[in-house]
Amino acid sequence: MSTDDSQDGENRFRRSPTGPAVAPPRIPPGRAPTPPVQLPWHKRHFWTVVIFILLVAGVAIRAYRDLSQPEAWDYWKDQYVSPGLTSQVIDTLHLDGSSRGRRALFISGTIGPAAANWFRGSLDQANLAAGDIVLLASPGGDLNQAAIMGEIIRSRSLATAVGSADASGRVKPGYCASACVLVYAGGKARFGVLGSALGVHRFVTTRPVDDPVAEAQRVSGAVLGYMTKMGVSSSIVEAMSETREIRWLSPKQALAMNLVTEPLGKP
């Protein structure tokens, strides 16, 4: 590089519009730049292992805190270990004894704390279409999960019925009680199978609360809002509030409450 080029370069550096003129760093002749200091390999490996152990320990502690809660363990058990519900796809379900049938998913068992997520997956696998049937047989279970299941049924425009089915697809009477009634109420059409029973009762919380009366009122309000949304008469909440024991609705009562919308036998 010529002297002129060097001077031009320095002048260009000094004329930088972004700040004051600063001379570029210079390395004395014959002196090599000092290499960066590096830790020995075994020390670098040691600190990598330490950081990894700390990260794993943090995740393990958080997981332990989560799973140490009874409700968390109940959820994981219901989701992955032993679900309270079982399902069976019925290719052709004959509701009224006629030759015309519909595809159905038979759900039976207790509604657990992870039931809604499990139910959504079962519906996806069953590949039901709008108008197909969810056949229910359950003593009830988790109220919140039941309401979510009912919302899923309504969002897919599915129908509901109570009972079970034999090998030929003929419906046999069954029962749906407590929280199961909320799942049943999610049906866009709700078939009343002759001989099947719907049972309701007052819902109570099993967890400790500061004000049990206020909590009971909150639950009743939530159930009333849900049932009204599904097109069921508010009189069903009155029937629920009358007793903590199961009250079995007669076919006429279920029809008058609009809980059953499609009776398959004379009520």
Side-chain angles (χ1 to χ4, degrees), residues 52-65:
F52 175 77
I53 292 175
L54 291 175
L55 290 174
V56 172
V59 173
I61 291 172
R62 180 175 298 180
Y64 172 77
R65 287 176 178 174

Side-chain angles (χ1 to χ4, degrees), residues 146-208:
I148 298 172
M149 292 171 67
E151 294 278 8
I152 294 171
I153 290 173
R154 180 59 60 91
S155 69
R156 302 191 184 203
S157 298
L158 300 172
T160 52
V162 176
S164 59
D166 59 21
S168 64
R170 304 289 175 179
V171 176
K172 299 186 296 183
Y175 70 93
C176 172
S178 187
C180 176
V181 175
L182 274 71
V183 183
Y184 174 77
K188 192 169 184 179
R190 300 182 285 272
F191 292 98
V193 176
L194 188 62
S196 289
L198 290 161
V200 298
H201 67 99
R202 184 188 312 137
F203 288 103
V204 294
T205 181
T206 56
R207 58 185 177 84

Side-chain angles (χ1 to χ4, degrees), residues 7 27-28 88-89 99 107 130 135 148 176 192 222:
Q7 291 176 352
I27 300 174
Q88 177 186 352
V89 176
S99 59
I107 300 294
L135 185 63
I148 298 172
C176 172

